[in-house]
Amino acid sequence: MEWAGLHDVDLVLDGSMGEGGGQILRTALGLSAVTSRSFRMERIRAARKKPGLQAQHLTAVLAAAQICQARVEGASLGSQRLAFWPGPIRGGQYEFDVGTAGSTVLVLQTVLPGLGLAKEASELILRGGTHNPLAPPFDFLVEVFLPILRRMGLRVEAELEAHGFYPAGGGQMRVRIQPTNQLQPVELLHRGRVLEHEIYAVLSRLPRHIAEREVETARKHLGWEKKCVRIVEVDSAGPGNYIGIRIQCEQVTELFTAFGQIKVPAEKVGLEAARQAEHWLQAEVPVGPHLADQLLIYLGLAGGGAFRTLAPSLHTQTNLEVVRCFLERVLRIEQQTEHQWLVVAESRR
């Protein structure tokens, strides 16, 4: 039987282009819901160790389909091709369960553009991983990303109800969305003075000395005072640990994290986070690499805005290409100095 998704779609995308990961699919799903443009994607995550749709990606597909009453073909575990025909977006009450330690933050990332522009408010419960080394953690969501969305007119509040670490999962967060009719452009060109900085480590079901070694390594590398350090012990379905370095400036807050792993010394984990923060501080840009990825969709939807960031990763460049496919916008990246790059969104005229 011929696959119906071979023909009647607005866009055809190669899921292996550029960085070739799940972000291509998540961005396509989110923008398809907003623009009502259908798409077919071939070779989804073709270069990955486990190609095709894994649990986290399948949850994102089904979640996107649910919020816009879409018709879908190819939505099954391991599938490397998908066709998606969106319908009208509908706000309301939703529950999405990844079923593994896969990132709930990335599932939210998929449905947020649509629900953020819906006619009704929404409340979501998402279950799975909340702190996953392959995705921005919940802390990044609330400290860095959502404050910028509020400046663009989209009110989103998120509450962590249970930590979920890899590989056990079992985390849960609740998200409330007050949509807007039109996103407002935002400019993040300067970060301003550093107002506050802190280093913290979170651990569950692991010896406290792990966190102590992580924060002390990071603190010494950055040359910060001891009073900026704290350790948080939580309970979760399985053991887990990460370090966060939060830097609050006049115009933006950034967060840099690294996750503890089996057979990786705590000192190495602390140093990894510290080097990320150091690189950002030295570049004197307001927007770090994860935030740059997140903002591309929203600048495109707003039809304007700009931000300065570090040299764009292949992940960011790939995401940019997907946004360009769906939106009639000019999104450009230009290098300004050795360490600073400017991203600009403009409406086509």
Side-chain angles (χ1 to χ4, degrees):
M1 180 183 295
E2 188 177 64
W3 200 52
L6 288 174
H7 302 296
D8 58 335
V9 292
D10 298 314
L11 294 168
V12 178
L13 303 172
D14 182 356
S16 68
M17 71 175 178
E19 185 267 342
Q23 184 63 53
I24 300 172
L25 176 64
R26 289 187 293 272
T27 298
L29 290 165
L31 290 177
S32 176
V34 172
T35 62
S36 298
R37 302 185 73 185
S38 59
F39 73 92
R40 183 179 88 244
M41 187 173 294
E42 299 281 353
R43 303 177 66 198
I44 297 172
R45 303 178 67 255
R48 292 296 194 258
K49 185 177 181 180
K50 292 183 178 180
L53 299 177
Q54 300 307 304
Q56 169 191 291
H57 312 102
L58 180 57
T59 302
V61 170
L62 299 177
Q66 190 173 347
I67 69 161
C68 67
Q69 306 163 69
R71 180 166 65 93
V72 187
E73 291 188 11
S76 59
L77 284 174
S79 174
Q80 292 189 51
R81 62 178 184 175
L82 182 89
F84 192 87
W85 294 267
I89 299 170
R90 181 178 58 196
Q93 304 281 329
Y94 293 99
E95 295 189 18
F96 304 125
D97 191 339
V98 180
T100 68
S103 173
T104 53
V105 175
L106 294 183
V107 174
L108 175 64
Q109 180 190 96
T110 305
V111 299
L112 187 53
L115 294 178
L117 293 169
K119 294 181 180 179
E120 311 88 7
S122 297
E123 181 173 349
L124 285 63
I125 295 175
L126 300 104
R127 300 185 183 93
T130 59
H131 294 79
N132 183 316
L134 299 179
F138 177 85
D139 310 42
F140 176 88
L141 182 72
V142 296
E143 295 279 359
V144 181
F145 181 49
L146 296 187
I148 302 299
L149 287 192
R150 287 193 280 272
R151 289 165 62 176
M152 300 182 75
L154 178 55
R155 289 189 295 157
V156 185
E157 302 293 337
E159 178 184 356
L160 182 64
E161 298 184 333
H163 284 76
F165 295 104
Y166 178 84
Q172 180 169 304
M173 65 177 179
R174 186 181 301 268
V175 181
R176 297 177 179 88
I177 303 168
Q178 290 292 335
T180 181
N181 292 327
Q182 175 61 51
L183 290 165
Q184 301 302 311
V186 66
E187 289 194 347
L188 297 169
L189 302 179
H190 307 282
R191 66 184 182 219
R193 293 182 301 111
V194 174
L195 303 177
E196 181 180 304
H197 57 243
E198 72 165 341
I199 302 169
Y200 65 94
V202 178
L203 76 166
S204 174
R205 305 188 183 195
L206 291 170
R208 186 179 174 89
H209 71 79
I210 294 173
E212 292 171 344
R213 289 156 53 203
E214 288 171 346
V215 296
E216 185 62 11
T217 299
R219 186 193 70 78
K220 286 182 176 179
H221 184 83
L222 293 169
W224 292 356
E225 64 280 7
K226 288 190 176 182
K227 67 180 182 180
C228 74
V229 168
R230 63 186 174 97
I231 294 172
V232 182
E233 296 189 57
V234 301
D235 188 29
S236 62
N241 158 248
Y242 67 97
I243 179 174
I245 300 177
R246 184 180 67 88
I247 306 173
Q248 180 185 350
C249 300
E250 291 177 310
Q251 299 299 320
V252 69
T253 297
E254 264 294 359
L255 178 71
F256 305 93
T257 56
F259 285 78
Q261 300 178 57
I262 296 174
K263 297 183 179 180
V264 176
E267 290 77 10
K268 185 174 182 179
V269 176
L271 187 60
E272 178 187 342
R275 284 175 172 167
Q276 291 177 47
E278 181 182 48
H279 182 44
W280 179 78
L281 286 167
Q282 291 176 346
E284 297 186 345
V285 295
V287 175
H290 287 311
L291 183 56
D293 263 357
Q294 303 286 318
L295 286 179
L296 289 175
I297 292 176
Y298 295 90
L299 256 64
L301 290 172
F307 61 83
R308 284 197 178 98
T309 187
L310 301 163
S313 64
L314 181 58
H315 198 276
T316 297
Q317 295 176 56
T318 306
N319 204 25
L320 181 70
E321 291 304 316
V322 181
V323 175
R324 284 171 172 164
C325 289
F326 280 91
L327 299 177
E328 293 298 319
R329 303 285 187 267
V330 175
L331 284 172
R332 55 185 172 86
I333 300 179
E334 59 186 49
Q335 187 172 2
Q336 294 192 311
T337 70
E338 181 181 358
H339 302 293
Q340 295 188 357
W341 294 69
L342 179 68
V343 179
V344 179
E346 301 169 341
S347 295
R348 293 187 187 275
R349 299 186 184 280

